[in-house]
């Protein structure tokens, strides 16, 4: 596990997003500082400069979309919908599949940027879980009553 993910405390940052009324600069910088792995590696490229300009302009939804593009290049926004006072966002790796076949990650919040970033954190948490092997590895335990024997006949 990388150092960036070890420092990441999903419940506290996730709770902060869920409990926030609106996006703030300190919250966005905490997400970038604690969760993002690619942005520091990209350095001062044009794409990170664009993200910095969006943050400076407090264009939070656009900044969240730019962050998703930089950090999760294999994921795309599948759906953004507003219903009964909440934004519902779904991120997917297979956007062209029918809804019932897709394993989209969904999040919701009254603020669009916070809904997008909540889905982003859920994808990051999923990536940490998926990094474990899908099949558990088991070491063979030697049986004291069974010993391997070579049975080749070379004669």
């Amino acid at each position: 596990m990388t150092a960036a993910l070890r420092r990441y405390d999903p419940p506290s940052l996730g709770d902060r997003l869920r409990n926030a009324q609106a996006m703030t600069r300190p919250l966005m910088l905490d997400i970038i500082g604690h969760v993002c792995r690619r942005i520091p590696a990209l350095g001062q490229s044009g794409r990170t400069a664009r993200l910095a300009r969006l943050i400076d302009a407090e264009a939070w939804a656009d900044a969240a979309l730019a962050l998703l593009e930089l950090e999760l290049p294999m994921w795309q926004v599948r759906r953004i919908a507003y219903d009964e006072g909440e934004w519902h966002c779904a991120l997917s790796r297979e956007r062209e599949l029918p809804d019932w076949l897709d394993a989209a990650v969904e999040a919701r919040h009254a603020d669009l940027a916070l809904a997008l970033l909540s889905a982003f954190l859920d994808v990051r948490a999923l990536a940490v879980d998926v990094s474990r092997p899908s099949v558990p590895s088991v070491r063979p335990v030697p049986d004291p009553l069974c010993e391997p024997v070579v049975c080749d006949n070379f004669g």
Side-chain angles (χ1 to χ4, degrees):
M1 195 180 315
T2 67
L5 290 178
R6 258 186 264 124
R7 306 183 277 176
Y8 170 51
D9 184 11
S12 66
L13 197 50
D15 288 343
R16 284 179 59 199
L17 281 176
R18 277 187 291 282
N19 295 328
Q21 297 299 314
M23 177 54 72
T24 62
R25 182 181 182 85
L27 184 55
M28 177 64 91
L29 295 177
D30 277 350
I31 291 168
I32 292 171
H34 290 99
V35 182
C36 296
R37 297 180 305 202
R38 295 178 57 122
I39 290 176
L42 291 172
Q44 293 297 326
S45 69
R47 292 168 34 181
T48 58
R50 177 176 173 265
L51 176 61
R53 285 192 308 273
L54 291 169
I55 292 170
D56 289 341
E58 296 184 359
W60 300 125
D62 289 334
L65 289 168
L67 182 68
L68 290 169
E69 183 182 333
L70 289 170
E71 284 293 316
L72 301 173
M74 301 297 292
W75 290 78
Q76 298 174 349
V77 175
R78 179 178 181 88
R79 180 177 51 256
I80 296 176
Y82 186 77
D83 185 33
E84 296 184 12
E86 284 190 322
W87 288 97
H88 298 260
C89 299
L91 303 179
S92 173
R93 290 187 73 170
E94 300 293 333
R95 188 171 71 175
E96 302 305 320
L97 288 176
D99 279 345
W100 59 276
L101 282 177
D102 189 20
V105 174
E106 298 187 34
R108 65 178 197 230
H109 197 280
D111 183 87
L112 176 57
L114 292 171
L116 287 164
L117 291 171
S118 294
F120 168 72
L121 288 182
D122 290 346
V123 169
R124 277 290 189 218
L126 180 67
V128 170
D129 290 341
V130 171
S131 67
R132 296 183 196 127
S134 61
V135 178
S137 58
V138 179
R139 292 185 182 158
V141 178
D143 186 355
L145 300 175
C146 180
E147 191 170 321
V149 177
V150 177
C151 299
D152 290 336
N153 183 357
F154 296 106

